[in-house]
Amino acid sequence: MCDASGARYSQRRGRHMPRCGGRCLVANLKGDDDASGASAALIVMPTTGFLCLLATKHPFVAVLVCALAATSLTFLARAKCTEPGILPPAPPDDADIEAAAMSPRRMRVTHVLVRGEKRGLADHRAKVCRQTENCVEAFDHYCPWVGNAVGRRNYRFFVGFVVSTAALALVVGATSAAALLKS
C-alpha cells in the first residue's frame, strides 16, 4: 500500500492530485466547486470576534469555543484531504466502445475494478462524481464547503465537521444572545 517514505498515492485520479509526498489525495478543483477556504473563514472570523468581545466575561465558554473551533477546523481538513473512496473504472467492453462512438457524449462508467474483478457500480453504492470525475464508493454527495466528494472513507470526518461546526455556532450564538439580553 505505502512505500518506505509513507507515500500511498503516486498518480492523479480524476481531479484528485497527490499531496504531502503522496500521503493524501486532494481534489484540485476550479471555480465555485471549492469553498473550503470560505468554510474556514466562517469558522475563524466569528470565533475570533467572540473571543475578543466576550472571552473575559465567560472564560469557561471561551475555552469551549476554542476547542470546538479547533475540532471543526481539524474535521474540515480531514474531510478535504481524505480520499473519499475512489474506485478505478473498469475498461469498457467492445459493445460499450461501439455505442460511445455513435454518441457525442462521454462514455458512461458502469463497472469498476475491485481487487482485479469487474463489478457493477451498484454493488458498492458507487457513483461517478461530476466535480471530481471519479467513481466514489458509497458516494453520498459532493460538498463544496468541504471541497471534496463525500464517500466511504471521509464520511465520518464530514459528519464530525458538520456536528462540531453546529455545536460551535450554537455555543457562540447562545452566549452572545445571553450577553446582549443582559446588557
Side-chain angles (χ1 to χ4, degrees):
M1 214 50 160
C2 297
D3 64 15
S5 68
R8 181 174 181 174
Y9 305 104
S10 59
Q11 60 187 7
R12 98 184 256 145
R13 296 181 184 187
R15 289 191 182 165
H16 282 85
M17 302 289 291
R19 299 279 194 252
C20 302
R23 288 183 184 84
C24 59
L25 208 57
V26 178
N28 187 21
L29 304 169
K30 293 181 173 96
D32 297 335
D33 288 338
D34 186 1
S36 57
S39 295
L42 287 170
I43 292 168
V44 171
M45 290 179 0
T47 301
T48 304
F50 173 82
L51 292 173
C52 290
L53 297 173
L54 296 174
T56 57
K57 296 177 185 173
H58 306 283
F60 172 75
V61 176
V63 171
L64 178 63
V65 164
C66 288
L68 284 171
T71 302
S72 186
L73 290 170
T74 300
F75 276 126
L76 173 63
R78 294 291 305 263
K80 181 173 179 59
C81 295
T82 301
E83 182 253 312
I86 297 172
L87 296 172
D93 295 333
D94 293 336
D96 292 337
I97 294 172
E98 289 173 15
M102 297 177 147
S103 172
R105 293 183 359 201
R106 247 199 233 172
M107 195 167 4
R108 232 180 134 175
V109 176
T110 57
H111 291 81
V112 293
L113 289 177
V114 178
R115 295 186 190 105
E117 186 180 324
K118 187 175 179 178
R119 299 188 128 169
L121 290 177
D123 296 344
H124 295 277
R125 283 188 43 224
K127 292 183 183 170
V128 177
C129 176
R130 286 183 286 163
Q131 287 83 359
T132 63
E133 297 177 356
N134 283 311
C135 294
V136 179
E137 185 176 13
F139 180 71
D140 189 63
H141 68 287
Y142 176 81
C143 181
W145 295 103
V146 169
N148 201 357
V150 178
R152 179 179 196 78
R153 294 191 186 122
N154 67 348
Y155 187 78
R156 66 181 175 269
F157 300 126
F158 173 75
V159 171
F161 166 67
V162 170
V163 169
S164 61
T165 303
L168 175 64
L170 185 67
V171 170
V172 169
T175 308
S176 298
L180 282 174
L181 291 175
K182 229 181 217 186
S183 58

